[in-house]
């Protein structure tokens, strides 16, 4: 099984990347390579969203890639948010506590509500 990585035209503020297939020891370099091209397009303090709705499996190698991505974005003042993980993938996150719960969203609407709240807080509209 392969890993397919797609991204929309990133904006400096936000970019979404979709993962499909398996993220494991055989495919984690595919993600690392794709993100090496995508993350520089997102400004410092920007947000990178990973849509995991089509990700069927994640191994420790995949977790390592996500941890490195989160660290890179954090070091630039940005954030990495995870969207729509399948139950089996979310269970892995829960077990290893690899991702803070506040960074995992069940739907685009939930993610947009969170991002709206963050922006209102920063702009003083809350």
């Amino acid at each position: 099984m392969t890993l397919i990585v797609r991204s929309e035209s990133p904006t400096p503020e936000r970019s979404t990347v979709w993962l499909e297939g398996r993220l494991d020891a055989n495919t984690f370099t595919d993600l690392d390579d794709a993100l090496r091209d995508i993350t520089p397009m997102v400004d410092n303090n920007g947000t990178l969203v990973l849509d995991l709705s089509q990700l069927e499996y994640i191994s420790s190698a995949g977790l390592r890639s996500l941890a490195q991505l989160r660290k890179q974005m954090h070091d630039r003042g940005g954030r990495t948010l995870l969207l729509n993980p399948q139950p089996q993938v979310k269970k892995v996150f829960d077990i290893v506590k690899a991702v803070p719960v506040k960074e995992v969203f069940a739907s685009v609407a939930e993610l947009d509500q969170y991002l709206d709240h963050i922006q209102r807080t920063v702009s003083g509209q809350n």
Side-chain angles (χ1 to χ4, degrees):
M1 185 105 191
T2 61
L3 176 70
I4 299 171
V5 181
R6 296 181 292 117
S7 69
E8 63 182 14
S9 299
T11 66
E13 297 83 26
R14 178 176 166 183
S15 182
T16 301
V17 175
W18 288 265
L19 304 184
E20 180 178 341
R22 294 176 59 94
L23 181 54
D24 58 22
N26 295 318
T27 61
F28 77 95
T29 56
D30 297 339
L31 177 61
D32 293 349
D33 291 345
L35 292 175
R36 195 171 297 119
D37 295 336
I38 295 167
T39 53
M41 295 181 205
V42 179
D43 275 353
N44 292 344
N45 302 317
T47 301
L48 184 63
V49 177
L50 295 179
D51 188 316
L52 306 178
S53 60
Q54 299 299 313
L55 184 67
E56 299 170 3
Y57 177 87
I58 188 167
S59 73
S60 60
L63 290 172
R64 182 203 58 80
S65 289
L66 294 183
Q68 285 183 338
L69 172 63
R70 290 183 64 239
K71 181 177 181 334
Q72 290 171 359
M73 292 299 292
H74 181 266
D75 290 348
R76 296 172 47 206
R79 69 187 78 205
T80 305
L81 303 175
L82 305 180
L83 179 63
N84 295 322
Q86 291 192 20
Q88 67 273 23
V89 172
K90 186 171 185 317
K91 184 68 173 179
V92 170
F93 294 152
D94 292 344
I95 290 171
V96 299
K97 300 187 184 334
V99 179
V101 172
K102 66 181 182 181
E103 296 179 6
V104 180
F105 301 91
S107 68
V108 172
E110 186 178 286
L111 170 66
D112 284 343
Q113 184 178 20
Y114 170 78
L115 293 173
D116 182 62
H117 172 74
I118 294 295
Q119 292 174 63
R120 287 178 184 269
T121 300
V122 170
S123 67
Q125 295 177 354
N126 259 353

